[in-house]
Amino acid sequence: MYGLNEERTRYLDAPGVKPPFSIRWRFKGGHLLEYSPILVSNQLFGINNNGLAFGIKTRTGKARWKRQVAHLNASAPTFSDGILYISNLEPGQVIALAAYDGHTYWEHPLPGRSESSPLVVGNKVIVGCECNTVFAFNKKTGKTIWERHVNGAVKAAPAYSGGIVYVGDYSGEMTAIHVNDGSIKWQTGSQGTSFGRTGQFYATAAIAFGRVYAGNTDGRMYSFDQQTGRLAWSHSTSNYVYAGAVAARTADTPPTVYFGSYDGNFYALDARTGEERWSQHNLGSISGAASLIGDTVYVADLQHTSTYGFDAANGHKVFEYSDGAYNPVISDGKEIFLTGYKTVYALTPGQGPAVNGIIQAPKKAKQLAKRKSGKKQG
């Protein structure tokens, strides 16, 4: 699912997957790919902004099937028991497709648009809607199990841990909802007493280390106590934080939250205190979520439409590729799949002459060697 797991932590412990990479194949998505595809065994499933859903063979990069299911989409599919669940903006709906060929099992119209990547817990498909509501549908039939009204439009993907669904909304509140019946455990935000602000939660929350981490359009990353909703800390940037956060501890790093801001900076904060561990600057506006694969954290920016990889321990740049915009990288633990503006790439770790973490073809490598030799002679 989007963010890898129910907690949406966006971290895969795969230390062998690191630059440099060679490009194994390219898949043309036709239109903007705002969200990465999801990985299921040896297949990728995705959907572009024009509502074209597709299944790709990871071995070849060839499409198994393509299906037009909507006019406008800004979310990622979720897979469970052979079925893909997708929420759409236009028409506002949740649709269930067969993963093997894309045919429709069921579709449920919504009273508003949705860009909330679905969450599957047990027999429930849980999505948010711009109609100020979180829904739980039966994953086999699409019938409504419960619905929970909140105080603002829900654009984020719900996250889940320990029987509780966590989701922010456009009133600026974060809500913890019991998955069984949709009742509220706690709510906190601009109407609460923990802190005062007027921002909106667009970003999907990440649940880790007993906390709920979520960015806000007021330019802050927030850390809430998972059990009570009490504010643990907030960290200010100078522009919107739309991006979902990575929340992870690696062998070489303490518990850390990684995220980008529209201020053009990428941050690594101590997950316990909110203190800055390191940051990278002047990248261009960052709207999409990062991913941590092994020891490298990947992020893309809108200004340069490029993807970057930074060493999680110290922030040193180890990778750069001239395509990317939103949610750039997922992995199967053997290679990475990079989502560019309209193209998905399979990148395999390897050895050889490389530029910005991309292994050069033999012809390009020779040309590069000649240029270097010429500079030395000069």
Coordinates of all heavy atoms in Angstrom, one line a residue, residues 187-244:
Q187 N -9.3 13.8 19.5 CA -9.2 14.8 18.4 C -8.3 15.9 19.0 O -8.5 16.3 20.1 CB -10.5 15.3 17.9 CG -11.2 14.5 17.0 CD -12.5 15.1 16.5 OE1 -13.3 15.6 17.3 NE2 -12.7 15.2 15.2
T188 N -7.4 16.4 18.2 CA -6.6 17.5 18.6 C -6.3 18.4 17.4 O -6.2 17.9 16.3 CB -5.3 17.1 19.3 OG1 -4.7 18.2 19.9 CG2 -4.4 16.4 18.3
G189 N -6.1 19.7 17.6 CA -5.8 20.5 16.5 C -6.1 22.0 16.8 O -6.0 22.4 18.0
S190 N -6.5 22.7 15.8 CA -6.7 24.2 16.0 C -7.8 24.5 17.0 O -7.9 25.6 17.5 CB -6.9 24.8 14.7 OG -8.1 24.2 14.0
Q191 N -8.8 23.5 17.2 CA -9.9 23.8 18.1 C -9.5 23.3 19.5 O -10.3 23.5 20.5 CB -11.1 23.1 17.6 CG -11.5 23.5 16.2 CD -11.7 25.0 16.1 OE1 -12.4 25.6 16.9 NE2 -11.2 25.6 15.0
G192 N -8.4 22.6 19.7 CA -8.0 22.0 21.0 C -7.2 23.0 21.8 O -7.0 24.1 21.5
T193 N -6.7 22.5 22.9 CA -5.9 23.3 23.8 C -4.5 23.0 23.7 O -3.7 23.7 24.4 CB -6.4 23.0 25.3 OG1 -6.2 21.6 25.6 CG2 -7.9 23.4 25.5
S194 N -4.1 22.0 22.9 CA -2.7 21.7 22.8 C -1.8 22.8 22.2 O -0.7 23.0 22.6 CB -2.5 20.4 22.1 OG -3.1 19.3 22.8
F195 N -2.4 23.4 21.1 CA -1.6 24.4 20.4 C -2.6 25.2 19.6 O -3.7 24.8 19.3 CB -0.5 23.8 19.5 CG -1.0 22.8 18.5 CD1 -1.3 23.2 17.2 CD2 -1.3 21.5 18.9 CE1 -1.7 22.2 16.3 CE2 -1.8 20.6 18.0 CZ -2.0 20.9 16.7
G196 N -2.2 26.4 19.2 CA -3.1 27.3 18.4 C -2.5 27.5 17.0 O -1.3 27.9 16.9
R197 N -3.3 27.3 16.0 CA -2.8 27.5 14.6 C -4.0 27.4 13.7 O -5.1 27.1 14.1 CB -1.8 26.5 14.2 CG -2.3 25.0 14.4 CD -1.4 24.0 13.7 NE -2.0 22.7 13.9 CZ -3.1 22.3 13.3 NH1 -3.8 23.1 12.5 NH2 -3.5 21.1 13.5
T198 N -3.9 27.7 12.5 CA -5.0 27.7 11.5 C -4.7 26.9 10.3 O -5.3 27.0 9.3 CB -5.2 29.2 11.0 OG1 -4.1 29.7 10.5 CG2 -5.7 30.0 12.2
G199 N -3.6 26.0 10.3 CA -3.2 25.3 9.2 C -4.2 24.1 8.9 O -5.1 23.8 9.7
Q200 N -3.9 23.4 7.8 CA -4.6 22.2 7.4 C -3.7 21.0 7.2 O -2.6 21.1 6.8 CB -5.3 22.6 6.0 CG -6.2 23.8 6.1 CD -6.4 24.4 4.7 OE1 -5.5 24.4 3.8 NE2 -7.6 24.8 4.4
F201 N -4.3 19.9 7.5 CA -3.5 18.6 7.4 C -3.9 18.0 6.0 O -5.0 17.5 5.8 CB -3.8 17.6 8.5 CG -3.2 17.9 9.8 CD1 -4.0 18.3 10.9 CD2 -1.8 17.8 9.9 CE1 -3.4 18.6 12.1 CE2 -1.2 18.1 11.2 CZ -2.0 18.5 12.2
Y202 N -2.9 18.1 5.1 CA -3.0 17.4 3.8 C -2.2 16.1 3.9 O -2.6 15.1 3.3 CB -2.5 18.3 2.7 CG -2.5 17.6 1.3 CD1 -3.6 17.6 0.5 CD2 -1.4 17.0 0.8 CE1 -3.7 17.0 -0.7 CE2 -1.4 16.3 -0.4 CZ -2.5 16.3 -1.2 OH -2.5 15.7 -2.4
A203 N -1.1 16.2 4.6 CA -0.1 15.1 4.6 C -0.7 13.9 5.3 O -1.4 14.0 6.3 CB 1.2 15.5 5.2
T204 N -0.3 12.7 4.8 CA -0.6 11.4 5.4 C 0.3 11.3 6.7 O 1.5 11.6 6.6 CB -0.3 10.3 4.5 OG1 -1.3 10.3 3.4 CG2 -0.4 8.9 5.2
A205 N -0.3 10.9 7.8 CA 0.4 10.7 9.0 C 1.3 9.4 9.0 O 0.9 8.5 8.3 CB -0.5 10.6 10.2
A206 N 2.4 9.5 9.7 CA 3.2 8.3 9.9 C 3.2 7.9 11.4 O 3.3 8.8 12.2 CB 4.7 8.5 9.5
I207 N 3.0 6.6 11.7 CA 2.8 6.2 13.1 C 4.1 5.4 13.5 O 4.4 4.4 12.9 CB 1.6 5.3 13.3 CG1 0.4 5.9 12.6 CG2 1.3 5.1 14.8 CD1 0.0 7.3 13.0
A208 N 4.8 5.9 14.5 CA 6.1 5.2 14.9 C 6.5 5.8 16.2 O 6.2 6.9 16.6 CB 7.2 5.4 13.9
F209 N 7.2 4.9 17.0 CA 7.8 5.3 18.3 C 6.8 5.9 19.3 O 7.1 6.8 20.1 CB 8.9 6.4 18.0 CG 9.8 6.0 16.9 CD1 10.0 6.9 15.8 CD2 10.5 4.8 16.9 CE1 10.8 6.5 14.7 CE2 11.4 4.5 15.8 CZ 11.5 5.3 14.7
G210 N 5.5 5.4 19.2 CA 4.5 5.9 20.1 C 4.0 7.3 19.7 O 3.3 7.9 20.5
R211 N 4.3 7.8 18.5 CA 3.9 9.1 18.1 C 3.1 9.1 16.8 O 3.2 8.1 16.0 CB 5.1 10.0 17.9 CG 6.0 10.1 19.2 CD 5.5 11.2 20.1 NE 6.3 11.3 21.3 CZ 7.4 12.1 21.3 NH1 7.8 12.7 20.2 NH2 8.2 12.2 22.4
V212 N 2.5 10.1 16.5 CA 1.8 10.4 15.2 C 2.5 11.6 14.6 O 2.4 12.7 15.2 CB 0.3 10.7 15.3 CG1 -0.4 10.9 14.0 CG2 -0.4 9.5 16.0
Y213 N 3.1 11.5 13.4 CA 3.9 12.5 12.8 C 3.1 13.0 11.5 O 2.8 12.2 10.7 CB 5.3 12.1 12.4 CG 6.1 11.6 13.5 CD1 6.2 10.2 13.8 CD2 6.8 12.5 14.4 CE1 6.9 9.7 14.9 CE2 7.5 12.0 15.4 CZ 7.6 10.6 15.7 OH 8.3 10.2 16.8
A214 N 2.8 14.3 11.4 CA 2.1 14.8 10.3 C 2.5 16.2 10.0 O 2.6 17.1 10.9 CB 0.6 14.7 10.5
G215 N 2.7 16.5 8.7 CA 3.0 17.9 8.2 C 1.7 18.7 8.1 O 0.6 18.1 7.9
N216 N 1.8 20.0 8.1 CA 0.7 20.9 8.0 C 0.9 22.1 7.1 O 2.1 22.5 6.9 CB 0.3 21.4 9.4 CG -1.0 22.0 9.6 OD1 -1.2 23.2 9.2 ND2 -2.0 21.3 10.1
T217 N -0.1 22.7 6.5 CA 0.1 23.8 5.6 C 0.5 25.1 6.4 O 0.8 26.1 5.7 CB -1.2 24.1 4.8 OG1 -2.3 24.4 5.7 CG2 -1.6 22.9 4.0
D218 N 0.5 25.0 7.7 CA 1.1 26.2 8.5 C 2.6 26.1 8.5 O 3.2 27.0 9.1 CB 0.5 26.2 9.9 CG 0.9 25.0 10.8 OD1 1.7 24.2 10.3 OD2 0.5 25.0 11.9
G219 N 3.2 25.1 7.8 CA 4.6 25.1 7.7 C 5.3 24.3 8.8 O 6.5 24.3 8.9
R220 N 4.5 23.5 9.6 CA 5.1 22.8 10.6 C 5.0 21.3 10.5 O 4.0 20.8 9.8 CB 4.5 23.2 12.0 CG 4.7 24.6 12.4 CD 4.1 24.8 13.8 NE 4.3 26.2 14.3 CZ 3.5 27.2 14.2 NH1 2.4 27.0 13.5 NH2 3.8 28.4 14.7
M221 N 5.9 20.5 11.0 CA 5.8 19.1 11.2 C 5.4 18.9 12.7 O 6.0 19.5 13.6 CB 7.1 18.4 10.9 CG 7.1 16.9 11.3 SD 5.8 15.9 10.4 CE 6.4 16.0 8.7
Y222 N 4.3 18.1 12.9 CA 3.8 17.9 14.3 C 4.1 16.5 14.7 O 4.0 15.5 13.9 CB 2.3 18.2 14.3 CG 2.0 19.7 14.3 CD1 1.6 20.3 13.1 CD2 2.0 20.4 15.4 CE1 1.3 21.6 13.0 CE2 1.7 21.8 15.4 CZ 1.4 22.4 14.1 OH 1.1 23.7 14.1
S223 N 4.3 16.3 16.0 CA 4.4 15.0 16.7 C 3.4 15.0 17.8 O 3.5 15.8 18.8 CB 5.9 14.9 17.2 OG 6.0 13.7 17.9
F224 N 2.5 14.1 17.7 CA 1.4 13.9 18.7 C 1.7 12.6 19.5 O 2.1 11.6 18.8 CB 0.0 13.9 18.1 CG -0.3 15.1 17.3 CD1 -0.3 15.0 15.9 CD2 -0.7 16.3 18.0 CE1 -0.7 16.1 15.2 CE2 -1.0 17.4 17.2 CZ -1.0 17.3 15.8
D225 N 1.3 12.5 20.7 CA 1.3 11.3 21.5 C 0.3 10.4 20.9 O -0.9 10.8 20.7 CB 1.0 11.5 22.9 CG 1.1 10.2 23.8 OD1 0.1 9.5 23.8 OD2 2.2 10.0 24.4
Q226 N 0.6 9.1 20.6 CA -0.3 8.2 19.9 C -1.5 7.9 20.7 O -2.6 7.7 20.2 CB 0.5 7.0 19.5 CG -0.3 5.9 18.7 CD 0.6 4.7 18.3 OE1 1.8 4.8 18.3 NE2 -0.1 3.6 18.0
Q227 N -1.3 7.8 22.0 CA -2.4 7.4 22.9 C -3.4 8.5 23.3 O -4.6 8.3 23.4 CB -1.8 6.7 24.1 CG -1.0 5.4 23.9 CD -1.8 4.4 23.1 OE1 -3.0 4.2 23.4 NE2 -1.2 3.7 22.2
T228 N -2.8 9.7 23.4 CA -3.6 10.8 24.0 C -3.9 11.9 23.0 O -4.8 12.7 23.3 CB -2.9 11.4 25.2 OG1 -1.7 12.0 24.8 CG2 -2.6 10.3 26.3
G229 N -3.1 12.1 22.0 CA -3.2 13.2 21.1 C -2.5 14.4 21.6 O -2.5 15.5 20.9
R230 N -1.8 14.3 22.7 CA -1.1 15.5 23.3 C 0.0 15.9 22.3 O 0.7 15.0 21.8 CB -0.5 15.1 24.6 CG 0.2 16.3 25.3 CD 0.9 15.8 26.6 NE 1.8 14.7 26.4 CZ 3.1 14.9 26.0 NH1 3.6 16.1 25.8 NH2 3.9 13.8 25.9
L231 N 0.3 17.2 22.1 CA 1.4 17.6 21.3 C 2.7 17.4 22.0 O 2.9 17.8 23.1 CB 1.2 19.1 21.0 CG 2.3 19.7 20.1 CD1 2.3 19.2 18.7 CD2 2.2 21.2 20.1
A232 N 3.6 16.6 21.3 CA 4.9 16.3 21.9 C 5.9 17.4 21.5 O 6.6 17.9 22.3 CB 5.4 15.0 21.5
W233 N 5.8 17.8 20.2 CA 6.7 18.9 19.7 C 6.2 19.3 18.3 O 5.4 18.5 17.6 CB 8.2 18.5 19.6 CG 8.5 17.2 18.8 CD1 8.9 16.0 19.4 CD2 8.7 17.1 17.4 NE1 9.2 15.1 18.4 CE2 9.1 15.8 17.1 CE3 8.5 18.0 16.3 CZ2 9.3 15.3 15.9 CZ3 8.7 17.5 15.0 CH2 9.1 16.1 14.8
S234 N 6.6 20.4 17.8 CA 6.4 20.8 16.4 C 7.7 21.5 16.0 O 8.4 22.1 16.7 CB 5.2 21.8 16.3 OG 5.5 23.0 16.9
H235 N 7.9 21.4 14.7 CA 9.1 22.0 14.1 C 8.7 22.9 12.9 O 8.0 22.4 12.0 CB 10.1 20.9 13.6 CG 11.4 21.4 13.1 ND1 12.5 21.5 13.9 CD2 11.7 21.9 11.9 CE1 13.5 22.0 13.2 NE2 13.1 22.3 12.0
S236 N 9.1 24.1 12.9 CA 8.7 25.0 11.8 C 9.6 25.0 10.6 O 10.8 24.9 10.7 CB 8.6 26.5 12.4 OG 7.6 26.6 13.4
T237 N 9.0 25.1 9.4 CA 9.7 25.4 8.2 C 9.1 26.8 7.7 O 8.2 27.3 8.4 CB 9.5 24.3 7.1 OG1 8.2 24.4 6.6 CG2 9.7 22.9 7.7
S238 N 9.5 27.2 6.6 CA 9.0 28.5 6.1 C 8.0 28.5 5.0 O 7.7 29.4 4.4 CB 10.2 29.4 5.6 OG 10.9 28.8 4.6
N239 N 7.4 27.2 4.8 CA 6.3 27.1 3.8 C 5.6 25.8 4.1 O 5.9 25.1 5.1 CB 6.9 27.1 2.4 CG 5.9 27.7 1.4 OD1 4.7 27.6 1.5 ND2 6.5 28.5 0.4
Y240 N 4.5 25.5 3.3 CA 3.7 24.4 3.5 C 4.5 23.1 3.6 O 5.5 22.9 3.0 CB 2.8 24.2 2.3 CG 1.8 25.3 1.9 CD1 1.5 25.6 0.6 CD2 1.3 26.1 2.9 CE1 0.6 26.6 0.3 CE2 0.4 27.1 2.6 CZ 0.1 27.4 1.2 OH -0.7 28.4 0.9
V241 N 4.0 22.2 4.5 CA 4.5 20.8 4.6 C 3.3 19.9 4.1 O 2.5 19.5 4.9 CB 4.9 20.4 6.0 CG1 5.5 19.0 6.0 CG2 6.0 21.4 6.4
Y242 N 3.3 19.7 2.8 CA 2.3 18.8 2.2 C 2.7 17.3 2.3 O 1.9 16.4 2.2 CB 2.1 19.1 0.7 CG 1.1 20.2 0.4 CD1 1.5 21.3 -0.3 CD2 -0.2 20.1 0.8 CE1 0.6 22.3 -0.7 CE2 -1.1 21.1 0.5 CZ -0.7 22.2 -0.3 OH -1.6 23.2 -0.6
A243 N 4.0 17.1 2.4 CA 4.6 15.8 2.2 C 4.4 14.9 3.4 O 4.5 15.3 4.5 CB 6.1 15.9 1.9
G244 N 4.1 13.6 3.1 CA 4.1 12.6 4.2 C 5.5 12.4 4.7 O 6.5 12.6 3.9

